[in-house]
């Protein structure tokens, strides 16, 4: 993608219609806005690619333990997976589609990986091996549900490691020149991985083909001097959510959207500007084949909007086809993430002292009708002007 388009601003109604949340498990105050302990750019729960399971590091202080959530049943429930020793606060967990949970631990110069699973009253653990490097982070869950990958960033290159789903421990699958961050899957097979690569002072999204030995090709280059990052993608529709400073050089980055493989320019709707510069898309409605404009998108925002508690975390709902953003207060205890159903229901997991594993469900509200055109008032008399000879009336 090599072009961008800034959409014209549209007058928004003063009062935005709110979506009515419906909790899967009822609890007093579960649907009210409240201050979230999690920053807007992170989530405290990781959901598997197929939405069947989720995992988080539960507990507080020095008493941390992995916890697995089951989301595909009639009612969500959590299973704690503690071991004899508590986990460090910087450990990472990631759910697999078979119900096991991958844990990544940082231990004295190396990064260890194990699979955890419930075995009656105890927790089973299957060590997978370790990677020796300074910095390594897990990538989002792979689409196949069996594999897991991690990103090791060096001074001049970034290595992609497969840390679960391989036969003989962690395996190096790609090396990308430059310092990479992010990580977005572009297909349902887990072959095409998009990374934000920093080189020569600029950040551009590139595609790493894991099926061809880590072959790297450009994905976003809106302008030569812009920083173009990919935030989220939907393989069904091809919808891409992008952050770039191309439409406003020197004024900070803006949210935009494009279509994978399309020649159409990236668009930067004015309505997304109102969601704030820190807004992060976390879920896209699947199943909208070849209809990216119809995909509902959910974003984390730093402020819930008018009427919410001071400092409350917020959620924004939006579709590319609509020039309108719905801002909502997050449910009490929201864990910073969620997933859309194909039918357009957004499920938001939360945990409170009263309900330790709950999900709130809500839909995308109907967009308001466009504002009627302003009354131009009485038409002023046309100013006299010379009439061309060919048009002059004959007398």
């Amino acid at each position: 993608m090599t072009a961008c388009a800034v959409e014209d601003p549209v007058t928004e109604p003063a009062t935005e219609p709110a979506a009515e949340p419906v909790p899967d498990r009822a609890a007093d105050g579960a649907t009210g806005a409240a201050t979230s302990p999690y920053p807007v750019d992170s989530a405290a729960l990781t959901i598997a690619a197929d939405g069947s399971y989720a995992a988080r590091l539960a507990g507080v202080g020095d008493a941390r333990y992995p916890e697995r959530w089951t989301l595909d049943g009639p009612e969500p429930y959590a299973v704690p997976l503690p071991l004899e020793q508590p986990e460090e606060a910087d450990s990472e967990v990631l759910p697999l589609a078979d119900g096991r949970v991958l844990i990544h631990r940082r231990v004295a110069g190396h990064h260890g990986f194990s699979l955890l699973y419930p075995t009656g009253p105890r927790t089973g653990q299957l060590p997978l091996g370790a990677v020796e490097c300074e910095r390594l982070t897990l990538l989002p869950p792979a689409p196949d549900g069996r594999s897991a990958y991690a990103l090791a960033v060096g001074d001049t290159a970034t290595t992609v490691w497969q840390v679960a789903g391989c036969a003989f421990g962690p395996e190096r699958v790609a090396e990308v020149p430059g310092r990479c961050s992010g990580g977005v899957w572009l297909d349902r097979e887990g072959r095409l991985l998009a990374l934000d690569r920093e080189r020569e002072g600029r950040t551009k999204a590139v595609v790493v083909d894991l099926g061809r030995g880590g072959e790297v090709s450009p994905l976003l280059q809106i302008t030569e001097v812009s920083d173009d990052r990919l935030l989220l993608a939907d393989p069904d529709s091809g919808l891409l959510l992008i952050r770039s400073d191309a439409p406003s050089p020197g004024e900070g980055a803006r949210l935009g959207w494009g279509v994978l493989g399309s020649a159409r320019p990236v668009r930067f709707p004015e309505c997304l500007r109102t969601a704030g510069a820190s807004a992060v898309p976390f879920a896209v409605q699947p199943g909208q084949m070849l209809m990216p404009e119809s995909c509902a998108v959910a974003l984390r925002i730093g402020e819930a909007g008018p009427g919410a508690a001071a400092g409350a975390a917020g959620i924004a709902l939006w579709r590319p086809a609509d020039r309108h953003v719905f801002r909502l207060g997050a449910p009490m205890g929201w864990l910073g993430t969620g997933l859309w159903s194909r039918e357009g229901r957004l499920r938001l997991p939360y945990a409170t002292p009263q309900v330790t594993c709950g999900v709130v469900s809500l839909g995308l509200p109907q967009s308001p009708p466009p504002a009627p055109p302003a009354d131009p008032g009485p038409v002023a008399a046309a100013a006299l002007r010379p009439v061309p000879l060919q048009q002059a009336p004959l007398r």
Side-chain angles (χ1 to χ4, degrees), residues 45-119:
L45 186 79
T46 301
I47 302 176
D50 64 355
S52 56
Y53 292 99
R56 68 168 181 151
L57 203 62
V60 295
D62 296 331
R64 303 273 184 168
Y65 59 91
E67 184 178 75
R68 187 194 70 185
W69 288 35
T70 299
L71 300 177
D72 60 353
E75 188 172 298
Y77 65 92
V79 175
L81 298 172
L83 294 170
E84 295 180 358
Q85 296 291 331
E87 304 293 344
E88 297 292 336
D90 60 354
S91 297
E92 295 181 293
V93 291
L94 183 146
L96 302 183
D98 62 5
R100 294 182 295 178
V101 173
L102 174 73
I103 185 165
H104 162 220
R105 303 181 178 101
R106 298 168 175 84
V107 182
H110 70 273
H111 300 260
F113 301 91
S114 296
L115 289 176
L116 306 179
Y117 52 93
T119 57

Side-chain angles (χ1 to χ4, degrees), residues 170-195:
E171 178 182 343
R172 186 195 308 260
V173 294
E175 186 163 327
V176 183
R179 297 170 58 85
C180 296
S181 59
V184 176
W185 295 101
L186 300 178
D187 61 348
R188 293 293 183 194
E189 292 73 36
R191 172 176 171 173
L192 301 178
L193 174 65
L195 298 173

Side-chain angles (χ1 to χ4, degrees), residues 62-366:
D62 296 331
R64 303 273 184 168
Y65 59 91
E67 184 178 75
R68 187 194 70 185
W69 288 35
T70 299
L71 300 177
D72 60 353
E75 188 172 298
Y77 65 92
V79 175
L81 298 172
L83 294 170
E84 295 180 358
Q85 296 291 331
E87 304 293 344
E88 297 292 336
D90 60 354
S91 297
E92 295 181 293
V93 291
L94 183 146
L96 302 183
D98 62 5
R100 294 182 295 178
V101 173
L102 174 73
I103 185 165
H104 162 220
R105 303 181 178 101
R106 298 168 175 84
V107 182
H110 70 273
H111 300 260
F113 301 91
S114 296
L115 289 176
L116 306 179
Y117 52 93
T119 57
R122 297 180 178 271
T123 300
Q125 180 173 211
L126 176 63
L128 299 178
V131 174
E132 293 188 7
C133 64
E134 183 178 352
R135 296 182 299 274
L136 185 143
T137 57
L138 290 178
L139 286 167
D144 64 6
R146 304 182 306 271
S147 307
Y149 296 84
L151 210 60
V153 182
D155 294 333
T156 59
T158 300
T159 304
V160 180
W161 288 88
Q162 183 174 355
V163 296
C166 34
F168 304 104
E171 178 182 343
R172 186 195 308 260
V173 294
E175 186 163 327
V176 183
R179 297 170 58 85
C180 296
S181 59
V184 176
W185 295 101
L186 300 178
D187 61 348
R188 293 293 183 194
E189 292 73 36
R191 172 176 171 173
L192 301 178
L193 174 65
L195 298 173
D196 299 328
R197 179 172 67 175
E198 180 186 351
R199 294 184 74 181
E200 299 177 356
R202 297 295 174 192
T203 300
K204 304 286 185 182
V206 298
V207 179
V208 182
D209 190 338
L210 302 182
R212 303 185 65 176
E215 180 180 292
V216 181
S217 56
L219 176 63
L220 292 176
Q221 187 168 332
I222 300 178
T223 71
E224 293 290 338
V225 297
S226 60
D227 291 325
D228 311 318
R229 295 175 169 87
L230 181 64
L231 305 180
L232 202 59
D234 175 57
D236 295 336
S237 63
L239 178 65
L240 304 179
L241 280 303
I242 296 158
R243 193 187 305 278
S244 173
D245 59 358
S248 52
E251 299 179 11
R254 290 180 56 179
L255 285 175
W257 69 279
V259 181
L260 184 64
S262 172
R264 296 171 58 186
V266 176
R267 297 186 175 275
F268 294 87
E270 188 69 22
C271 63
L272 285 182
R273 225 171 171 175
T274 64
S278 62
V280 178
F282 63 86
V284 178
Q285 181 183 1
Q288 308 300 301
M289 302 299 295
L290 305 178
M291 296 190 298
E293 293 89 352
S294 301
C295 291
V297 179
L299 306 97
R300 290 192 301 269
I301 57 177
E303 296 180 358
I315 298 169
L317 305 181
W318 167 78
R319 286 193 316 169
D322 301 330
R323 295 188 175 186
H324 187 82
V325 171
F326 297 91
R327 296 176 59 153
L328 313 171
M332 181 82 72
W334 180 46
L335 297 176
T337 188
L339 70 161
W340 287 98
S341 70
R342 291 176 178 267
E343 296 74 29
R345 300 294 296 179
L346 178 62
R347 304 184 69 201
L348 301 172
Y350 68 92
T352 67
Q354 296 79 21
V355 179
T356 57
C357 177
V359 175
V360 171
S361 177
L362 54 87
L364 185 67
Q366 190 70 28

